[in-house]
Amino acid sequence: MRFVTMLVGLWLAGAVWADPSLWRDEWPETDFDRTTVENWAEIISGGPPRDGIPALSDPQFIEVPAESRIAPGEPVIAVEIAGQRPRAYPIRYLIWHEIVNDQIGPIPVAVTFCPLCNSALTFDRRLGGRVLSFGVSGKLRNSDMIMYDRETQSWWQQAVGTGIVGQMAGEGLELLPSWMESWEAFAARHPQGLVMAEPSWNRPYGRNPYAGYDSSKRPFLYSGEMPPNGVPPLMRVVRVGDRAWPITRLAKAGVLREAGLALSWVPGQASALDAGTIAAGRDVGSVRVLDGKGRDVPHDVLFAFAFHAFWPDGRWMLGE
């Protein structure tokens, strides 16, 4: 309850900063006159200042057999790029850092995780002939992390992958296929793969600072409209484009073949946002999305309220 009270206090404090002119001193190199944001009251402080949640760059990796810290059910973000050794980015690290700037072969990537939306997305960092590097702004919009790039000081919406403030406003990052699954599943499929090594920062890795969050009735730091059709706001949904499949429906079916896609669910992945220790989180399962040719499709497994906030006209795939 202390954590909930703290976040509510931060939300009330953040509401004071609805006027972007008040941020100009903090962000003197950001062009606030270029923006896609229509309602600045949607953007609030999440509490930590810019880089108060430190993004990682040039992470170190170890081979899968050498990893001994991660429990079998703990979630990792799997990134598989053709011609490169598959990589796993443990949520036990990303929950404290939220962004990892990495290079996988020829492709510079940003692996991202927003705990308040459960959104885990991987982007190509190349845009307009340059390579961007991303940090955590400390700002939230609809409870979703706002990233910033260090090259232009523009702000980016993590759940959508688009620039919202600054020189890059309106630009979009290419979303790469990646997915959250259990460490056990990744290690079994890729015994010769790589896993991100524990960062050198002083953090209680393996702990969940958002204990009980995904069992809450309402999302934190969010004042927007709740999902329609009686969908619980903190239910996980599988988003592909502007469509969302409730995880409960997919888990019951095991496999769904709709909209030219094959969506599958298997048990074995612990929720990172349930228990105080990530490894002890309840089983929320893992999702894969393939196209008609069996290729991985970029997707996200995020909370229903976030899907509705960013895709208010999106299609809910509720079945019969």
Coordinates of all heavy atoms in Angstrom, one line a residue, residues 175-208:
L175 N 9.6 -1.8 -35.6 CA 9.4 -2.8 -34.5 C 9.9 -4.1 -35.0 O 9.5 -4.6 -36.1 CB 7.9 -2.8 -34.2 CG 7.5 -3.8 -33.1 CD1 8.2 -3.4 -31.7 CD2 6.0 -3.8 -32.9
L176 N 10.8 -4.7 -34.2 CA 11.3 -6.0 -34.6 C 10.6 -7.1 -33.8 O 10.2 -6.9 -32.7 CB 12.8 -6.0 -34.2 CG 13.7 -5.0 -34.9 CD1 15.1 -5.1 -34.4 CD2 13.7 -5.2 -36.4
P177 N 10.5 -8.3 -34.4 CA 9.9 -9.4 -33.6 C 10.7 -9.8 -32.4 O 11.9 -10.0 -32.4 CB 9.9 -10.6 -34.6 CG 10.0 -9.9 -36.0 CD 10.9 -8.7 -35.8
S178 N 10.0 -9.8 -31.3 CA 10.6 -10.3 -30.0 C 9.4 -10.7 -29.1 O 8.3 -10.3 -29.4 CB 11.5 -9.2 -29.3 OG 10.7 -8.1 -28.9
W179 N 9.7 -11.4 -28.1 CA 8.6 -11.9 -27.2 C 9.1 -12.2 -25.8 O 10.3 -12.5 -25.7 CB 7.9 -13.1 -27.8 CG 8.8 -14.2 -28.2 CD1 9.2 -15.3 -27.4 CD2 9.6 -14.4 -29.4 NE1 10.1 -16.1 -28.0 CE2 10.3 -15.6 -29.2 CE3 9.7 -13.7 -30.6 CZ2 11.2 -16.0 -30.2 CZ3 10.5 -14.1 -31.6 CH2 11.3 -15.3 -31.4
M180 N 8.2 -12.2 -24.9 CA 8.5 -12.6 -23.5 C 8.2 -14.1 -23.4 O 7.2 -14.6 -23.8 CB 7.8 -11.8 -22.5 CG 8.3 -10.4 -22.4 SD 7.3 -9.4 -21.2 CE 7.6 -10.2 -19.7
E181 N 9.2 -14.8 -22.8 CA 9.0 -16.2 -22.5 C 9.8 -16.6 -21.2 O 10.5 -15.8 -20.7 CB 9.4 -17.1 -23.7 CG 10.9 -17.0 -24.0 CD 11.2 -17.9 -25.2 OE1 10.4 -18.7 -25.6 OE2 12.3 -17.7 -25.8
S182 N 9.6 -17.8 -20.7 CA 10.4 -18.2 -19.6 C 11.8 -18.4 -19.9 O 12.2 -18.8 -21.1 CB 9.8 -19.5 -19.0 OG 10.0 -20.6 -19.8
W183 N 12.7 -18.2 -18.9 CA 14.1 -18.5 -19.1 C 14.3 -20.0 -19.5 O 15.1 -20.3 -20.4 CB 14.9 -18.2 -17.9 CG 16.3 -18.8 -17.8 CD1 16.8 -19.6 -16.9 CD2 17.3 -18.5 -18.8 NE1 18.1 -19.9 -17.2 CE2 18.5 -19.2 -18.3 CE3 17.5 -17.7 -19.9 CZ2 19.7 -19.2 -19.0 CZ3 18.7 -17.7 -20.6 CH2 19.7 -18.4 -20.1
E184 N 13.5 -20.9 -18.9 CA 13.7 -22.3 -19.2 C 13.4 -22.6 -20.7 O 14.1 -23.4 -21.3 CB 12.7 -23.1 -18.3 CG 12.8 -24.6 -18.5 CD 11.8 -25.3 -17.5 OE1 10.7 -24.9 -17.4 OE2 12.3 -26.3 -16.9
A185 N 12.3 -22.0 -21.2 CA 11.9 -22.2 -22.6 C 13.0 -21.7 -23.5 O 13.4 -22.3 -24.5 CB 10.6 -21.5 -22.9
F186 N 13.5 -20.5 -23.3 CA 14.6 -19.9 -24.1 C 15.8 -20.8 -24.1 O 16.4 -21.1 -25.1 CB 14.9 -18.5 -23.7 CG 16.1 -17.9 -24.5 CD1 15.7 -17.2 -25.7 CD2 17.4 -18.0 -24.2 CE1 16.8 -16.6 -26.5 CE2 18.4 -17.5 -24.9 CZ 18.1 -16.8 -26.1
A187 N 16.3 -21.2 -22.9 CA 17.5 -22.0 -22.7 C 17.3 -23.4 -23.4 O 18.3 -23.9 -24.0 CB 17.8 -22.2 -21.3
A188 N 16.1 -24.0 -23.4 CA 15.9 -25.3 -24.0 C 16.0 -25.1 -25.5 O 16.5 -26.0 -26.2 CB 14.6 -25.8 -23.6
R189 N 15.4 -24.0 -26.0 CA 15.4 -23.9 -27.5 C 16.8 -23.4 -28.0 O 17.1 -23.7 -29.2 CB 14.3 -22.8 -27.9 CG 13.9 -22.9 -29.3 CD 12.7 -22.0 -29.6 NE 13.0 -20.6 -29.4 CZ 12.5 -19.9 -28.4 NH1 11.8 -20.5 -27.4 NH2 12.8 -18.6 -28.2
H190 N 17.5 -22.7 -27.2 CA 18.8 -22.1 -27.7 C 19.9 -22.4 -26.7 O 20.4 -21.5 -26.0 CB 18.7 -20.6 -27.9 CG 17.7 -20.2 -28.9 ND1 17.8 -20.6 -30.2 CD2 16.5 -19.5 -28.8 CE1 16.8 -20.1 -30.9 NE2 16.0 -19.5 -30.1
P191 N 20.3 -23.7 -26.5 CA 21.4 -24.0 -25.6 C 22.7 -23.3 -25.9 O 23.6 -23.2 -25.0 CB 21.5 -25.5 -25.6 CG 20.9 -25.9 -27.0 CD 19.8 -24.9 -27.2
Q192 N 22.9 -22.9 -27.1 CA 24.1 -22.2 -27.5 C 23.8 -20.7 -27.7 O 24.7 -19.9 -28.2 CB 24.6 -22.7 -28.9 CG 24.9 -24.2 -28.9 CD 25.9 -24.6 -27.8 OE1 26.9 -23.9 -27.6 NE2 25.6 -25.7 -27.1
G193 N 22.7 -20.2 -27.1 CA 22.4 -18.8 -27.2 C 23.1 -18.0 -26.1 O 24.0 -18.5 -25.4
L194 N 22.8 -16.7 -26.1 CA 23.4 -15.7 -25.2 C 22.4 -15.1 -24.3 O 21.2 -15.0 -24.7 CB 24.1 -14.6 -26.0 CG 25.3 -15.0 -26.9 CD1 25.7 -13.8 -27.7 CD2 26.4 -15.6 -26.1
V195 N 22.8 -14.8 -23.1 CA 21.9 -14.1 -22.1 C 22.6 -12.9 -21.6 O 23.8 -13.0 -21.3 CB 21.4 -15.0 -21.0 CG1 22.6 -15.7 -20.3 CG2 20.5 -14.3 -20.0
M196 N 21.9 -11.8 -21.4 CA 22.5 -10.6 -20.9 C 23.0 -10.8 -19.5 O 22.3 -11.4 -18.6 CB 21.5 -9.4 -20.9 CG 22.2 -8.1 -20.6 SD 21.0 -6.7 -20.8 CE 20.1 -6.8 -19.3
A197 N 24.2 -10.5 -19.2 CA 24.8 -10.7 -17.9 C 24.3 -9.6 -16.9 O 23.8 -8.6 -17.3 CB 26.3 -10.6 -18.0
E198 N 24.4 -9.9 -15.6 CA 23.9 -9.0 -14.6 C 24.7 -7.7 -14.7 O 25.9 -7.6 -14.7 CB 24.1 -9.6 -13.2 CG 23.6 -8.7 -12.1 CD 23.5 -9.4 -10.8 OE1 22.7 -10.2 -10.5 OE2 24.4 -9.1 -9.9
P199 N 24.0 -6.5 -14.8 CA 24.6 -5.2 -14.9 C 25.4 -4.9 -13.6 O 25.2 -5.5 -12.5 CB 23.5 -4.2 -15.1 CG 22.3 -5.1 -15.6 CD 22.5 -6.4 -14.9
S200 N 26.3 -4.0 -13.6 CA 27.1 -3.6 -12.5 C 26.5 -2.6 -11.5 O 27.1 -2.2 -10.5 CB 28.5 -3.0 -13.0 OG 28.2 -1.9 -13.8
W201 N 25.2 -2.2 -11.9 CA 24.5 -1.2 -11.0 C 24.1 -1.9 -9.7 O 23.9 -3.1 -9.6 CB 23.3 -0.7 -11.7 CG 23.6 0.2 -12.9 CD1 24.0 -0.2 -14.1 CD2 23.6 1.6 -12.9 NE1 24.2 0.9 -14.9 CE2 24.0 2.0 -14.2 CE3 23.3 2.6 -11.9 CZ2 24.1 3.4 -14.5 CZ3 23.4 3.9 -12.3 CH2 23.8 4.3 -13.6
N202 N 24.0 -1.1 -8.6 CA 23.6 -1.6 -7.3 C 22.1 -1.6 -7.3 O 21.4 -0.6 -6.9 CB 24.2 -0.7 -6.2 CG 23.8 -1.2 -4.8 OD1 23.4 -2.4 -4.7 ND2 23.9 -0.3 -3.9
R203 N 21.5 -2.7 -7.7 CA 20.0 -2.9 -7.7 C 19.7 -4.3 -7.2 O 20.5 -5.2 -7.4 CB 19.4 -2.8 -9.1 CG 19.6 -1.4 -9.8 CD 18.8 -0.3 -9.1 NE 18.8 0.9 -9.8 CZ 19.8 1.9 -9.7 NH1 20.8 1.7 -8.8 NH2 19.7 3.0 -10.4
P204 N 18.6 -4.5 -6.5 CA 18.2 -5.8 -6.0 C 17.6 -6.7 -7.1 O 16.4 -7.0 -7.1 CB 17.2 -5.4 -4.9 CG 16.5 -4.2 -5.4 CD 17.6 -3.4 -6.1
Y205 N 18.4 -7.0 -8.1 CA 18.0 -7.8 -9.2 C 17.3 -9.1 -8.8 O 17.8 -9.8 -7.9 CB 19.1 -8.1 -10.1 CG 19.7 -6.9 -10.8 CD1 21.1 -6.6 -10.6 CD2 19.0 -6.0 -11.5 CE1 21.6 -5.4 -11.1 CE2 19.5 -4.8 -12.1 CZ 20.9 -4.6 -11.9 OH 21.4 -3.4 -12.4
G206 N 16.2 -9.4 -9.4 CA 15.4 -10.5 -9.0 C 14.2 -10.1 -8.2 O 13.2 -10.9 -8.0
R207 N 14.2 -8.9 -7.6 CA 13.1 -8.4 -6.8 C 12.1 -7.6 -7.8 O 12.6 -7.1 -8.8 CB 13.5 -7.5 -5.7 CG 14.4 -8.1 -4.7 CD 13.7 -9.1 -3.8 NE 12.6 -8.5 -3.1 CZ 11.7 -9.2 -2.3 NH1 11.8 -10.5 -2.2 NH2 10.8 -8.5 -1.6
N208 N 10.8 -7.6 -7.4 CA 9.9 -6.8 -8.1 C 9.4 -5.6 -7.3 O 8.7 -5.8 -6.3 CB 8.7 -7.7 -8.4 CG 7.4 -7.0 -8.9 OD1 7.5 -5.9 -9.5 ND2 6.2 -7.5 -8.6

